[in-house]
Amino acid sequence: MNVKWGSTSFLKVIIFLAGIAVLALCISLPGIAIRDARVHPDTAYFLIPFLVCAYGFCIAFAVALFQSYKLLTYIEKNIAFSELSFKSLKIIKKCAIAVIFLFLLAIVSLKVCAKVTGGDAAPVPLCLLGILLTSIFVAIVDVLQKPIKNAPDIK
């Protein structure tokens, strides 16, 4: 058995399972929002920024998963250092930057909600941690892009 084929197939299965989890989250989000609106009717209007951020995360993550799947296919076909791989990495990096923007939007929404309701914005440190981790991911993708960009096939 080819080791490269086995490892890329394993990663493809993991990506597929993560995609199913994202789909399940997207399907369950409206139910979660409706239950929260019934429990806290005075702050139900804050669910709109929550849903925008949540669906934005899901869409960006799903696009990045699809591009990762395509990248693994290029690796299996021995065209890892090609224009197609470079484009996939570029799209993955854009998705990660969109996630950082959505984290910032979530922080602003949490701060406004805390100010209006008099509560606390406890999830803000988690959002900051998410921004840090996503920034590290963007840096890794950027490092992966450089050898592909310098390959003789890429213009």
Side-chain angles (χ1 to χ4, degrees):
M1 183 170 137
N2 189 352
V3 176
K4 187 177 9 173
W5 180 84
S7 59
T8 55
S9 296
F10 174 73
L11 288 173
K12 283 182 174 183
V13 169
I14 297 298
I15 287 172
F16 182 73
L17 293 175
I20 290 173
V22 169
L23 180 64
L25 179 66
C26 287
I27 291 170
S28 66
L29 274 176
I32 294 169
I34 289 170
R35 278 194 303 269
D36 190 66
R38 286 185 183 144
V39 173
H40 306 289
D42 52 333
T43 60
Y45 54 90
F46 282 114
L47 288 175
I48 293 173
F50 166 75
L51 288 173
V52 167
C53 288
Y55 277 112
F57 288 138
C58 289
I59 291 168
F61 192 67
V63 169
L65 283 176
F66 178 70
Q67 292 301 320
S68 299
Y69 189 87
K70 285 175 54 176
L71 190 61
L72 287 171
T73 303
Y74 301 146
I75 291 170
E76 281 181 344
K77 293 179 180 178
N78 288 327
I79 53 172
F81 291 98
S82 66
E83 182 72 30
L84 298 171
S85 297
F86 184 76
K87 287 180 181 178
S88 289
L89 286 171
K90 193 174 182 180
I91 292 171
I92 291 170
K93 188 163 71 169
K94 286 180 182 179
C95 289
I97 291 170
V99 166
I100 290 172
F101 173 74
L102 289 167
F103 271 125
L104 292 173
L105 182 65
I107 288 172
V108 170
S109 298
L110 287 168
K111 288 289 192 177
V112 169
C113 181
K115 193 68 111 171
V116 169
T117 61
D120 63 346
V124 168
L126 290 175
C127 290
L128 293 173
L129 182 63
I131 290 173
L132 175 68
L133 293 174
T134 308
S135 299
I136 291 169
F137 184 74
V138 168
I140 290 169
V141 170
D142 193 49
V143 167
L144 290 173
Q145 270 186 321
K146 287 185 182 180
I148 294 173
K149 188 177 186 179
N150 294 333
D153 301 356
I154 309 299
K155 294 178 184 174

